[in-house]
Amino acid sequence: DAIVEVTETGSTIKAHGLRIIHTLLETNTKFIANQSAWADPARRRKIEQIAMLLRAALDADGMVLLKMNVAEDKVQGVIDLLPSLKAPTVGHLYQSDWLSVEAVVTESVVRELIPQLRERGAEGIIELPITKIV
């Protein structure tokens, strides 16, 4: 027996003990506007906004936000571990010598990264899903 299935990664097929024997078609998604809508400045602006939000959702795929508290004397060791989009966000906690550190990281590194952050003094580590990166 055989089936034809639409799949992104094939992981569900493999999880059910099946295997992919041939790829029939590879596709991609297009965002299309008709010419009259694109020519109208107000509608064009809306189209561009929708495209930006769709791109932001795609860019966020596989990314998470890590938030943690770190004593001021240990913050450099923690920051040295953090791969982030640009640089981690660091701010003082209210009436404290502790800092709040935030960084966007790929979800695939979190399992190994969190124990390393704890070893370097990070506490109260929170992992949050990200739905958009604009």
Side-chain angles (χ1 to χ4, degrees):
D1 291 8
I3 61 170
V4 175
E5 177 65 282
V6 176
T7 181
E8 287 184 41
T9 65
S11 60
T12 302
I13 290 173
K14 292 172 189 161
H16 286 68
L18 302 172
R19 64 186 172 89
I20 297 171
I21 58 170
H22 185 69
T23 300
L24 298 176
L25 175 69
E26 291 186 18
T27 66
N28 57 47
T29 304
K30 303 281 186 204
F31 184 59
I32 301 170
N34 72 37
Q35 291 177 346
S36 65
W38 192 249
D40 179 342
R43 292 167 70 191
R44 182 178 187 145
R45 180 166 155 51
K46 293 275 187 198
I47 291 166
E48 288 172 337
Q49 289 173 348
I50 292 168
M52 177 196 57
L53 294 172
L54 289 171
R55 171 56 46 206
L58 292 171
D59 289 345
D61 187 41
M63 304 297 279
V64 297
L65 174 65
L66 288 182
K67 298 178 73 155
M68 66 209 77
N69 295 328
V70 184
E72 199 164 6
D73 63 334
K74 295 182 180 179
V75 74
Q76 190 59 54
V78 167
I79 288 174
D80 289 344
L81 289 175
L82 291 173
S84 61
L85 290 176
K86 301 227 184 300
T89 300
V90 180
H92 278 276
L93 297 179
Y94 181 68
Q95 295 183 345
S96 174
D97 61 349
W98 280 68
L99 301 165
S100 172
V101 178
E102 301 178 2
V104 174
V105 301
T106 56
E107 189 174 18
S108 62
V109 303
V110 170
R111 188 176 64 208
E112 293 178 13
L113 184 59
I114 288 177
Q116 294 173 10
L117 292 167
R118 288 279 298 159
E119 289 173 6
R120 297 218 183 162
E123 296 182 12
I125 301 170
I126 300 170
E127 177 186 344
L128 299 167
I130 297 175
T131 57
K132 291 178 186 63
I133 298 176
V134 181

